[in-house]
Amino acid sequence: MKRVAINERPNWREKATEFGFNFHTMYGEPYWCEDAYYQFTLAQIEQIEDATAELHQMCLQVVEKVVNSDTLMAKFQIPKHCWEFVRASWRNKQPSLYSRMDLVYDGIHPPKLLENNADTPTSLYEAAFFQWLWLEDQIAAGNLPPHADQYNSLQEKLIARFAELKNQHGFSLLHFACCQDTEEDRGTVQYLQDCAQEAGLASEFLFIEEIGLGERGQFSDMQDQVIANLFKLYPWEFMFREVFSTKLEDAGVRWLEPAWKAILSNKALLPLLWEMFPHHPNLLAAYFAEDAHPPMDHYVIKPLFSREGANIRIIEKGQEVARVEGPYGKEGMIVQEYCQLPRFNDSYTLIGSWLVNDQPCGIGLREDRALITQDLSRFYPHSIIG
């Protein structure tokens, strides 16, 4: 795995605007960067792909274990009134759409799972579409060899998955929703809606705040149309604590992501994986903070619910070496063995490995000067050469 300097496309900002990539710069700081790219060999990509596929199957085994245990449902801090709703979504095989695993990988050692973003993963548009455009443009400009490739079948697999939801699962209309005033979330949802349209699946958009509750307990849109299928870029742990969460079970909605994803997107997944698959080469040792566990010299404290690195702390030999403030942590914490991200110049690099349904299909890379990757970490494209 190499970080290689390359000339930027002279017109990339105009292209970003043309294609609706309006969050390439956030708060005056670059988010999308293309003054360099990450170079992989095909063998390295296969290593990432194989690890992602195996980790995913292991995660599904955790779901099976958790839904069959009241003790574990409580340990995952899923409110009791939502237990049957989560269990039914798993037992009825409610379909899923996509997810992203965050991995530590340096191109030499086996990839290690940091966490599973299985409920509301972002950085999708830039991974699936804009970095592919970058590859084509750089090959055309002669800055990359003609045989350069990219590990990226995300867009075609998303379109194929939407077609399956329409033809095999009977989705006739799919509503899409995210919160207001979140430009990145809105861009992600718009991209997914475009993929659904490409698959011939009719869709409507509304903001989460606009969803209504009808007299018969059904959720409805602004036109009083009943919502039967809903993709929501809004975390299950938030929804379970909303006033209307008591209505979820009876509303008759098929959710993307399904409620069983609340188990996969929870950091409590990590101690369960380590317990069920101890010393697996793609796992880091992890334990519930309140449980007895072997001492570790260098470890990370993570809340069960945390986003964009919030409330994460890194401890080395009893001393805190990094922390990010935030609103999370009251539900509980886990501790995970520390594994340093590969360092290039003054930055640390994280790999997001994407799956559509159960299939690994692409990666996106984020850089941050801090040890903990956060929401404004920079996104860099990649290429397969050799």
Side-chain angles (χ1 to χ4, degrees):
M1 175 173 158
K2 300 175 185 173
R3 188 184 191 277
V4 183
I6 192 170
N7 292 328
E8 293 187 1
R9 295 169 294 168
N11 62 337
W12 77 258
R13 289 172 181 80
E14 290 77 13
K15 276 202 169 178
T17 302
E18 177 189 346
F19 287 106
F21 186 11
N22 299 316
F23 51 95
H24 61 76
T25 303
M26 291 195 275
Y27 309 105
E29 293 290 324
Y31 167 61
W32 169 270
C33 295
E34 55 175 75
D35 57 316
Y37 70 96
Y38 282 87
Q39 183 179 312
F40 295 85
T41 66
L42 184 57
Q44 289 170 330
I45 292 297
E46 287 170 346
Q47 196 176 14
I48 294 169
E49 184 173 51
D50 290 347
T52 301
E54 186 168 352
L55 285 164
H56 178 65
Q57 291 305 316
M58 290 155 57
C59 288
L60 296 181
Q61 290 181 56
V62 173
V63 179
E64 178 68 25
K65 182 169 183 170
V66 173
V67 297
N68 287 303
S69 165
D70 288 357
T71 303
L72 288 174
M73 291 288 272
K75 197 88 166 169
F76 274 64
Q77 293 294 315
I78 295 170
K80 193 169 184 179
H81 70 273
C82 297
W83 287 3
E84 195 47 45
F85 175 63
V86 173
R87 286 168 167 154
S89 74
W90 178 249
R91 290 169 183 160
N92 297 336
K93 297 182 168 58
Q94 289 292 320
S96 67
L97 183 60
Y98 76 127
S99 58
R100 189 193 79 233
M101 291 185 179
D102 287 345
L103 305 175
V104 181
Y105 183 62
D106 58 5
I108 302 164
H109 302 94
K112 300 281 190 182
L113 177 68
L114 288 180
E115 59 189 61
N116 191 353
N117 299 278
D119 184 17
T120 57
T122 53
S123 77
L124 176 70
Y125 172 85
E126 47 274 39
F129 180 76
F130 206 68
Q131 72 166 339
W132 183 259
L133 203 63
W134 166 88
L135 179 79
E136 291 182 327
D137 288 347
Q138 293 289 31
I139 291 172
N143 293 329
L144 288 174
H147 64 274
D149 201 357
Q150 192 174 88
Y151 178 39
N152 189 0
S153 60
L154 255 167
Q155 181 163 297
E156 64 195 66
K157 284 199 169 58
L158 283 167
I159 294 168
R161 183 58 175 157
F162 281 121
E164 285 175 4
L165 293 172
K166 175 175 181 277
N167 299 325
Q168 295 173 26
H169 296 274
F171 282 52
S172 55
L173 174 67
L174 178 58
H175 281 79
F176 286 83
C178 67
C179 289
Q180 292 172 331
D181 305 319
T182 51
E183 189 167 29
E184 184 183 1
D185 287 4
R186 184 69 187 95
T188 300
V189 170
Q190 181 61 61
Y191 173 67
L192 284 167
Q193 204 174 348
D194 291 345
C195 290
Q197 186 175 350
E198 190 74 22
L201 177 56
S203 66
E204 298 273 0
F205 175 80
L206 76 167
F207 289 109
I208 287 282
E209 294 88 346
E210 295 172 339
I211 295 174
L213 187 63
E215 291 177 7
R216 297 180 181 177
Q218 295 168 307
F219 294 123
S220 58
D221 64 16
M222 298 292 282
Q223 289 74 46
D224 292 326
Q225 188 173 210
V226 170
I227 297 173
N229 307 296
L230 178 64
F231 173 89
K232 45 93 197 147
L233 203 66
Y234 189 66
W236 276 117
E237 66 263 24
F238 291 1
M239 291 183 70
F240 290 161
R241 288 158 177 80
E242 301 270 6
V243 173
F244 67 76
S245 63
T246 56
K247 310 292 185 185
L248 288 169
E249 204 170 340
D250 299 324
V253 178
R254 280 191 296 188
W255 301 89
L256 290 175
E257 299 297 329
W260 55 263
K261 286 285 192 89
I263 295 169
L264 294 187
S265 61
N266 188 317
K267 305 296 188 301
L269 171 78
L270 302 168
L272 259 288
L273 281 169
W274 187 250
E275 179 187 305
M276 292 171 67
F277 307 96
H279 306 287
H280 188 283
N282 301 125
L283 293 178
L284 295 166
Y287 308 92
F288 289 100
E290 70 272 18
D291 293 352
H293 57 266
M296 291 186 280
D297 277 348
H298 206 172
Y299 60 94
V300 185
I301 303 173
K302 296 180 176 181
L304 297 191
F305 307 126
S306 171
R307 292 173 185 278
E308 309 290 5
N311 297 98
I312 287 177
R313 299 163 59 208
I314 299 176
I315 309 295
E316 185 175 10
K317 294 179 180 172
Q319 300 296 312
E320 183 178 277
V321 295
R323 78 150 55 206
V324 175
E325 301 297 335
Y328 304 103
K330 65 179 183 294
E331 293 85 4
M333 316 289 279
I334 65 122
V335 293
Q336 183 184 46
E337 174 191 353
Y338 179 76
C339 183
Q340 183 170 300
L341 296 168
R343 184 172 182 174
F344 295 88
N345 302 324
D346 63 347
S347 294
Y348 301 92
T349 302
L350 175 78
I351 293 180
S353 184
W354 290 92
L355 299 100
V356 171
N357 193 21
D358 297 320
Q359 291 184 291
C361 56
I363 56 172
L365 290 99
R366 305 279 297 276
E367 267 190 17
D368 203 303
R369 290 185 183 89
L371 287 168
I372 300 169
T373 307
Q374 298 171 62
D375 57 344
L376 296 181
S377 305
R378 304 175 301 282
F379 189 105
Y380 275 85
H382 78 277
S383 180
I384 305 170
I385 300 174

